[in-house]
Amino acid sequence: MVSFFVADFFILTASLFLSMFVFKRLPDRFKTTWRMRALIGVYQAFFGILMLLFSLEVAPSVWLDLRLIPILLAAYFGGLRSSLLAAGLVSMGRFVVFDGFTPQAASAAALVMLIGLLSGIAAERIRSYWKLWMLNTSTVMLFAGLFYGYVLQVNGIALSKLWMMEIFFVIGSLFMFGCIYLLKNTYDRHFLNKKLYDMIHSFHNIDNVNDVYEKTLRELNDLFRSDMGSIVAIREQRYHLVGLLSGGEYNRIGSRVSVEDIEALERALAGQSSLYPDWTVRQPKGLLEGGIYERGGRSSIHVPIRYKNKVIALLNLGSSTPNFFNARVMKFVEDLTPSISMALALLESEARFSSIVDSSKDGIVIADSELNIVSWNYGASRTFGYSEEEAIGQPIGMLIPERRRKLYLKRIDRFINHLDHVRAKQNTVEAFGRRKDGTVFPIELSYSMWEASGVRYYSSIIRDITRRKRNEEQILTLQRDLADTIHFQHGVVLKYKKIGDDFIYTLADGQMLKEIGVTPQELIGQSLEASSPPPLLEFMREQYALAWSGQVVECEYGHGRFTFFSTFNPVFKEGRVHEVVVSVSNISRRKQAEEKLIEANRRLERLSNLDGLTGLGNRRSFDSQLDQERERCRARGTPLTLMMMDIDSFKAFNDTYGHVAGDACLKQVADILGGLAEGQEFCAARYGGEEFACIMTGISPEEAAAFAESVRAGIQSLAVPNERAAAGIVTVSIGTAIWPAEEIGESAFLIDTADQALYAAKAAGRNRVTGVSFISPFAPLESSK
């Protein structure tokens, strides 16, 4: 008896593993076509009939085997139709293999059909894997036990063979369902890893977020064969349906939705997934979901997509088949979502790098391990005169003056060795560069090393410091003039003693006496009162008295057109002040030189805080002014408004009209902004490239919106042609943000918030003002156009 059941075990094992070749993998439960369900029934019936050849005859025309297990497998993979088809074919095989249509064969066929019916119904209704297995196994044991027990008892055969059959059946059933469970989990892990691999590699060729979302929906639709899918983007408590996949077509929507439209949104904001396995039992209450139900939606899952610990989107998958989705599928999708976050992080890094490189006025040059140029930005073109096409692939030596090339290349080699051994951070040196036209000019070079995919790169930021060097030379010249003025001035040395209440001069000498028309003899023996001009007498008596008390005194005073500097040095004798030596210098020229130097420094400071092209404040002055205004507004309890402005389609303007026209356009825009800002004592600055900023304090949201609109309208009124722009002229997009004093955060946060408003203005169609106010909750400034 054991040998017959062992043969059945081998047949069952063969059927399981041969299915990988027939079906390419284990069939998905209830996700198969009618054709596939029929194939499943025929396939399992074949192995059930094969087991008949290894049956054990326990009574006349009564045979024991494990043919019922393929019936259970057909029910599991294909449902009721597959199990009934397999049961019918096995019953027919019973008539053919053995003694035709007899009462015993008919009873056995009835048992097989009954098991096919019950197991199929159970499979259609029970989703729990192990609950289904236990129920179907128990059902088979019960009815088969009753049937064969009755046959054995009627034929006077010991019931021990029945128990042997029941034990082998339980073992066989447990073995098959355990193998299926193990193989399915293995398949799940395999397909998850493969899908992750495919998705990550496919994201490498994607350059925007919408394409990432579309690729994600298509991959999941292909994986699960779902009927529909969508992505809802989440940002600053605003929700947009960005894409919808239905019938194999992906449509970019971009419409606003709310929590009332999609029930799962509220759970998604808390980072929780939602599963609605059967909408006929429990339908989501969202307004959009009601429309989807009318169009045939019957099952769905909703999985949040996280990025930097924030939920940025909600992924929705739907099917027209009830119970199409379950917790296993939802967990599968949850495991896939980190690859989406990875793609978003890659896009953000690339965008940040590109924005920094493209907007920098400084030259940013990257060379490979052979010191050949592999990256070249617009700032480098402005600095050296080479276009990107001319520079890429060329050796870095072409940027070095010929007579310094050998020396500099040796230094570069030492720098590289230094970086190799100690991984030094960014280093900065001053050197000389060579332009395309051969001119040599001073540069400031910041360099560093990094590696990517096993390849070493050397990056450098190169700044033209010709103007700075010229300013430094001017300052040095002023300093030398000042030193010469101080060195060659004439002075006077005086000595005095206190006799009674008077200070009497005992010595007077120096070239300056000639300038003031006094001889030494006229001063010696005279008192302070007799020789000092009346307007200075009281002041001088105080200084003379302090020095006589033992203090070293320095003072500066003016008389007529002269300015004098005096130093009083007490001379002690036997612990008491014996006399005081006074050094008097005519510092009139030095004062004039100092004033000139101060003015030059002020002028230099003003130049360093101004944008050379537009005359507005530069990024440095803007950052400093923003920090000051933040603290001032907090202290005074006044609101702070930040406005960010960007010229629409400016890159296209430059490409069409050239950079000379682009510079002229920037000046015109800056004149409008600067004039309006100056009229209201606002701080306007060129933030970088075609982007401008303005700091406003102590105004209301309405005033901020009105000012921004006046700037936008003023620039539009210039009517500067721009055929590449939607309006046909140069326009600007403006974003504003206003905070009460208690809500004012760090500068980076303020800039980022205003930038988000600017991006919203651009996304809404450009040539408009979009703002946000934090003075009252969720109170947006009105957009205008």
Side-chain angles (χ1 to χ4, degrees):
M1 181 176 182
V2 174
S3 62
F4 287 99
F5 284 110
V6 169
D8 284 353
F9 268 106
F10 278 109
I11 294 172
L12 288 173
T13 305
S15 72
L16 183 62
F17 287 96
L18 283 175
S19 66
M20 299 178 192
F21 297 96
V22 176
F23 301 102
K24 306 304 181 185
R25 53 172 291 183
L26 290 179
D28 289 325
R29 187 182 177 196
F30 303 128
K31 297 181 184 177
T32 52
T33 63
W34 283 87
R35 181 174 176 274
M36 180 63 71
R37 293 191 181 194
L39 181 60
I40 291 172
V42 173
Y43 178 83
Q44 295 297 341
F46 170 77
F47 287 98
I49 294 171
L50 186 61
M51 289 180 183
L52 292 173
L53 302 177
F54 297 90
S55 297
L56 175 66
E57 187 176 18
V58 295
S61 296
V62 178
W63 304 86
L64 284 179
D65 50 52
L66 300 180
R67 79 190 81 157
L68 295 178
I69 292 182
I71 308 300
L72 300 185
L73 294 176
Y76 173 76
F77 287 117
L80 178 61
R81 297 170 184 83
S82 296
S83 64
L84 287 177
L85 177 59
L89 293 175
V90 170
S91 298
M92 292 175 61
R94 168 71 170 80
F95 296 135
V96 173
V97 172
F98 295 112
D99 44 5
F101 189 84
T102 63
Q104 294 84 352
S107 300
L111 174 64
V112 171
M113 291 301 297
L114 177 62
I115 296 301
L117 175 64
L118 295 177
S119 63
I121 293 173
E124 295 278 1
R125 298 181 176 229
I126 298 176
R127 301 301 163 199
S128 171
Y129 182 83
W130 293 109
K131 184 183 293 186
L132 174 64
W133 170 79
M134 292 176 63
L135 177 61
N136 280 345
T137 301
S138 301
T139 301
V140 171
M141 290 179 63
L142 174 62
F143 286 97
L146 291 174
F147 174 77
Y148 285 104
Y150 173 76
V151 171
L152 294 176
Q153 187 175 15
V154 168
N155 290 275
I157 301 173
L159 294 179
S160 60
K161 290 186 179 183
L162 175 63
W163 294 112
M164 182 71 69
M165 182 205 71
E166 297 276 20
I167 291 172
F168 272 106
F169 181 82
V170 171
I171 294 174
S173 179
L174 177 62
F175 173 74
M176 289 304 297
F177 280 84
C179 286
I180 293 172
Y181 184 80
L182 177 63
L183 287 174
K184 276 197 166 292
N185 285 339
T186 303
Y187 276 132
D188 286 347
R189 288 193 296 270
H190 168 73
F191 285 119
L192 175 61
N193 293 335
K194 184 177 184 302
K195 187 58 63 176
L196 283 172
Y197 177 84
D198 292 341
M199 289 181 68
I200 291 173
H201 278 266
S202 65
F203 287 154
H204 288 171
N205 300 321
I206 294 177
D207 56 4
N208 65 75
V209 174
N210 281 329
D211 287 346
V212 171
Y213 290 148
E214 179 180 353
K215 182 66 176 178
T216 300
L217 286 178
R218 290 191 180 279
E219 291 287 346
L220 293 179
N221 181 70
D222 179 65
L223 178 64
F224 297 115
R225 300 186 182 95
S226 57
D227 298 318
M228 63 195 75
S230 64
I231 293 285
V232 176
I234 301 172
R235 186 170 186 179
E236 299 295 333
Q237 296 182 340
R238 293 182 180 141
Y239 319 109
H240 291 85
L241 180 62
V242 296
L244 176 65
L245 180 66
S246 180
E249 293 188 8
Y250 181 82
N251 296 305
R252 296 186 178 182
I253 308 299
S255 60
R256 288 282 296 272
V257 295
S258 66
V259 175
E260 289 74 20
D261 293 322
I262 302 175
E263 181 180 310
L265 259 178
E266 188 170 356
R267 287 174 55 84
L269 294 175
Q272 301 176 8
S273 301
S274 300
L275 167 64
Y276 300 95
D278 190 348
W279 285 22
T280 60
V281 177
R282 164 74 167 87
Q283 177 187 341
K285 299 178 181 178
L287 300 178
L288 288 177
E289 291 159 329
I292 294 173
Y293 182 84
E294 293 178 358
R295 292 193 297 270
R298 292 298 181 268
S299 181
S300 68
I301 57 172
H302 311 265
V303 179
I305 300 174
R306 286 180 166 274
Y307 179 50
K308 292 185 176 179
N309 296 322
K310 292 175 61 178
V311 177
I312 63 168
L314 175 63
L315 170 63
N316 310 290
L317 293 178
S319 173
S320 58
T321 302
N323 295 303
F324 187 88
F325 294 108
N326 53 38
R328 184 178 65 87
V329 174
M330 186 170 69
K331 178 63 169 60
F332 198 98
V333 176
E334 288 175 340
D335 291 340
L336 285 172
T337 54
S339 65
I340 306 173
S341 299
M342 186 185 304
L344 295 174
L346 178 61
L347 285 175
E348 182 183 50
S349 298
E350 291 176 348
R352 286 183 177 178
F353 177 77
S354 297
S355 64
I356 292 171
V357 170
D358 294 341
S359 63
S360 175
K361 291 183 178 180
D362 297 330
I364 299 178
V365 181
I366 300 176
D368 59 18
S369 57
E370 301 298 325
L371 296 182
N372 293 322
I373 299 172
V374 296
S375 180
W376 181 269
N377 76 329
Y378 173 70
S381 296
R382 289 184 55 185
T383 303
F384 291 97
Y386 293 98
S387 67
E388 184 177 6
E389 292 75 15
E390 292 173 324
I392 297 297
Q394 297 299 317
I396 201 73
M398 75 174 188
L399 308 179
I400 304 173
E402 292 182 8
R403 64 190 185 91
R404 289 182 169 90
R405 191 168 296 164
K406 187 174 181 181
L407 173 63
Y408 280 10
L409 289 176
K410 286 184 178 180
R411 290 181 179 177
I412 291 173
D413 186 61
R414 286 201 300 270
F415 293 156
I416 291 173
N417 292 332
H418 179 61
L419 290 170
D420 278 345
H421 288 92
V422 300
R423 289 292 192 271
K425 294 182 179 179
Q426 188 182 71
N427 294 269
T428 302
V429 296
E430 291 186 0
F432 288 91
R434 178 183 179 275
R435 294 190 177 94
K436 181 180 179 180
D437 60 9
T439 58
V440 177
F441 63 103
I443 61 173
E444 182 181 78
L445 172 67
S446 300
Y447 60 91
S448 61
M449 185 199 76
W450 47 279
E451 293 183 358
S453 301
V455 179
R456 181 171 300 170
Y457 296 94
Y458 303 97
S459 58
S460 57
I461 302 175
I462 304 170
R463 176 172 298 173
D464 183 350
I465 58 172
T466 302
R467 180 177 297 180
R468 190 178 80 186
K469 284 295 185 181
R470 188 181 301 120
N471 292 337
E472 289 177 354
E473 290 176 0
Q474 292 175 353
I475 293 173
L476 288 174
T477 300
L478 290 172
Q479 290 175 341
R480 284 193 295 267
D481 291 344
L482 175 61
D484 291 343
T485 301
I486 296 173
H487 179 71
F488 291 108
Q489 75 170 347
H490 298 281
V492 173
V493 176
L494 301 172
K495 287 185 180 181
Y496 71 86
K497 292 183 178 182
K498 188 175 184 181
I499 301 175
D501 292 328
D502 296 327
F503 298 105
I504 306 299
Y505 294 113
T506 60
L507 175 68
D509 196 5
Q511 296 298 313
M512 194 180 67
L513 291 176
K514 296 179 182 179
E515 298 177 8
I516 62 177
V518 177
T519 64
Q521 292 74 19
E522 292 176 338
L523 282 178
I524 295 174
Q526 294 293 321
S527 66
L528 174 65
E529 285 78 0
S531 57
S532 291
L536 293 176
L537 180 58
E538 188 62 33
F539 172 77
M540 298 305 295
R541 280 192 63 85
E542 291 178 1
Q543 311 309 312
Y544 275 57
L546 286 173
W548 192 257
S549 69
Q551 299 182 42
V552 177
V553 178
E554 293 181 345
C555 63
E556 183 179 307
Y557 51 93
H559 179 60
R561 59 188 179 87
F562 298 105
T563 302
F564 303 98
F565 180 78
S566 295
T567 303
F568 298 76
N569 293 289
V571 178
F572 291 88
K573 188 175 182 180
E574 296 179 357
R576 297 176 61 185
V577 176
H578 176 66
E579 63 182 354
V580 175
V581 179
V582 183
S583 174
V584 182
S585 302
N586 182 355
I587 61 171
S588 301
R589 293 182 181 178
R590 191 184 79 182
K591 290 295 292 182
Q592 294 172 1
E594 287 178 350
E595 290 172 359
K596 290 181 181 179
L597 180 60
I598 291 172
E599 179 61 27
N601 286 335
R602 288 174 180 167
R603 196 173 303 159
L604 178 61
E605 183 177 358
R606 286 196 297 271
L607 288 174
S608 66
N609 285 324
L610 292 179
D611 177 65
L613 176 64
T614 64
L616 295 179
N618 58 16
R619 175 67 180 274
R620 172 186 172 189
S621 67
F622 169 80
D623 290 341
S624 175
Q625 189 69 26
L626 181 58
D627 289 337
Q628 294 176 18
E629 295 299 341
R630 285 172 50 245
E631 298 302 323
R632 189 176 293 118
C633 288
R634 287 172 177 170
R636 295 177 179 176
T638 56
L640 173 65
T641 302
L642 183 59
M643 185 184 90
M644 302 298 290
M645 182 178 79
D646 190 81
I647 301 177
D648 297 326
S649 305
F650 187 73
K651 184 178 184 302
F653 182 96
N654 270 342
D655 293 341
T656 303
Y657 301 99
H659 294 290
V660 173
D663 288 347
C665 176
L666 287 171
K667 290 178 182 178
Q668 290 177 291
V669 170
D671 289 341
I672 295 293
L673 174 62
L676 292 173
E678 184 177 5
Q680 299 193 41
E681 297 183 352
F682 296 156
C683 173
R686 184 182 179 190
Y687 191 75
E690 66 270 25
E691 192 169 0
F692 297 80
C694 187
I695 305 170
M696 301 172 274
T697 60
I699 64 173
S700 67
E702 294 75 17
E703 292 171 330
F707 174 79
E709 174 58 21
S710 67
V711 173
R712 185 203 67 77
I715 293 169
Q716 180 175 281
S717 68
L718 293 174
V720 177
N722 184 3
E723 65 183 27
R724 301 287 293 275
I729 60 173
V730 171
T731 59
V732 295
S733 297
I734 299 176
T736 63
I738 183 168
W739 297 265
E742 63 273 13
E743 297 293 335
I744 297 174
E746 296 301 317
S747 295
F749 166 75
L750 303 182
I751 294 171
D752 181 64
T753 304
D755 256 337
Q756 291 175 15
L758 172 59
Y759 295 151
K762 282 184 168 293
R766 298 188 172 90
N767 188 22
R768 65 191 65 237
V769 178
T770 299
V772 62
S773 171
F774 296 92
I775 290 181
S776 59
F778 312 107
L781 302 179
E782 291 189 0
S783 300
S784 56
K785 181 177 179 181

